Amino acid sequence: MTTGLDGKVVVITGAGRGQGAAEARLFVADGARVVLTDVREDEGAEVADSLGDQALFVRHDVADPASWSEVVGAARARFGRIDALVNNAALWRVAAVEDETLANFTALVQVNLLGPFLGIKAVLPSLREAGGGSVVNISSTAGLVGIPGHAAYGSTKFGLRGLTRSCALDLAKYGIRVNSVHPGAIDTPMTADVAGRDWSHVPLRRMGRPQEVGELVRFLVSDASSYITGTEFPVDGGLTTG
């Protein structure tokens, strides 16, 4: 059994840049066909174009059920099936709880937690039809430990961790596996404002790279992880080990 993805069709949200784009490139290189979604049309289309016929871009609002229906319809029309979903799209905003606003909290819940829920519901019929599959929810170390200034973001990522565990139990009977990945500080456009910080508090003493998250996600999508479900995987340079 290898990590090959030959023939699998994978939907990746938030794939216009950063971790999602890195995952799409890794998956296509490993034989998969990918449906990249994002609200950033130009960036998403550019990544898809660079990957050729094995990639399709669909503009997508993860908080909109109708938009999810369009993604599933486009994926099936182009590739005939769906084998996996990577819920990667997210918003990251930092504020102390006393400064947090209802509007910001609600926006993060809509994208970071409601979006993955809607995605799982949307692809479930296709995964069942395929005889099983894999869902990978991209959470965060903020979904494993409390972090100052992360009342809103952390709440959504802890929630996604709980959604993952419950869905893993609900969907195991269909051969559908659901796992969560918990990146620490990863060097992407979303974290550009903090990239220059001192990372000596991280045991590996640096930020992570998008490809390092992507390699784990590729494993979880592949049949090499066929007996793994409901499990949480930190990718954080050892930050949450202690």
Side-chain angles (χ1 to χ4, degrees):
M1 188 175 292
T2 71
T3 56
L5 299 177
D6 284 347
K8 290 187 183 297
V9 177
V10 186
V11 175
I12 309 171
T13 68
R17 62 182 189 174
Q19 289 176 193
E23 290 155 10
R25 294 186 180 102
L26 283 170
F27 290 4
V28 167
D30 217 12
R33 295 166 290 173
V34 296
V35 180
L36 300 84
T37 86
D38 210 307
V39 293
R40 299 177 180 85
E41 286 190 67
D42 291 344
E43 290 173 289
E46 183 178 353
V47 175
D49 288 346
S50 73
L51 296 174
D53 292 341
Q54 286 178 266
L56 170 68
F57 173 72
V58 181
R59 189 190 186 282
H60 180 207
D61 175 1
V62 297
D64 180 5
S67 190
W68 272 108
S69 295
E70 292 172 3
V71 169
V72 170
R76 292 181 63 90
R78 175 72 171 269
F79 298 124
R81 58 187 291 143
I82 298 173
D83 298 285
L85 167 66
V86 180
N87 280 312
N88 175 76
L91 295 176
W92 178 57
R93 299 171 184 168
V94 178
V97 66
E98 64 264 33
D99 300 320
E100 191 56 270
T101 66
L102 175 60
N104 186 63
F105 198 104
T106 300
L108 266 64
V109 169
Q110 291 282 315
V111 173
N112 297 0
L113 184 55
L114 179 64
F117 165 76
L118 293 174
I120 292 168
K121 294 278 286 184
V123 303
L124 180 55
S126 296
L127 297 185
R128 290 184 62 181
E129 183 181 315
S134 175
V135 176
V136 181
N137 292 323
I138 308 299
S139 181
S140 168
T141 52
L144 296 173
V145 297
I147 300 175
H150 285 65
Y153 183 78
S155 294
T156 65
K157 293 303 188 176
F158 264 95
L160 186 54
R161 179 185 178 190
L163 179 67
T164 299
R165 288 190 171 201
S166 293
C167 290
L169 296 176
D170 287 344
L171 302 182
K173 61 188 174 184
Y174 304 122
I176 299 169
R177 301 177 296 104
V178 189
N179 294 287
S180 59
V181 172
H182 297 257
I186 307 299
D187 191 2
T188 69
M190 190 169 73
T191 59
D193 290 344
V194 300
R197 289 183 180 176
D198 177 11
W199 297 102
S200 59
H201 64 288
V202 176
L204 288 182
R205 305 180 70 83
R206 64 173 175 85
M207 295 183 80
R209 296 182 291 271
Q211 293 82 357
E212 293 173 310
V213 179
E215 291 286 0
L216 174 60
V217 176
R218 176 170 63 173
F219 168 72
L220 293 173
V221 167
S222 79
D223 293 337
S225 60
S226 58
Y227 202 54
I228 299 174
T229 195
T231 304
E232 299 152 359
F233 295 87
V235 188
D236 64 0
L239 184 64
T240 57
T241 301

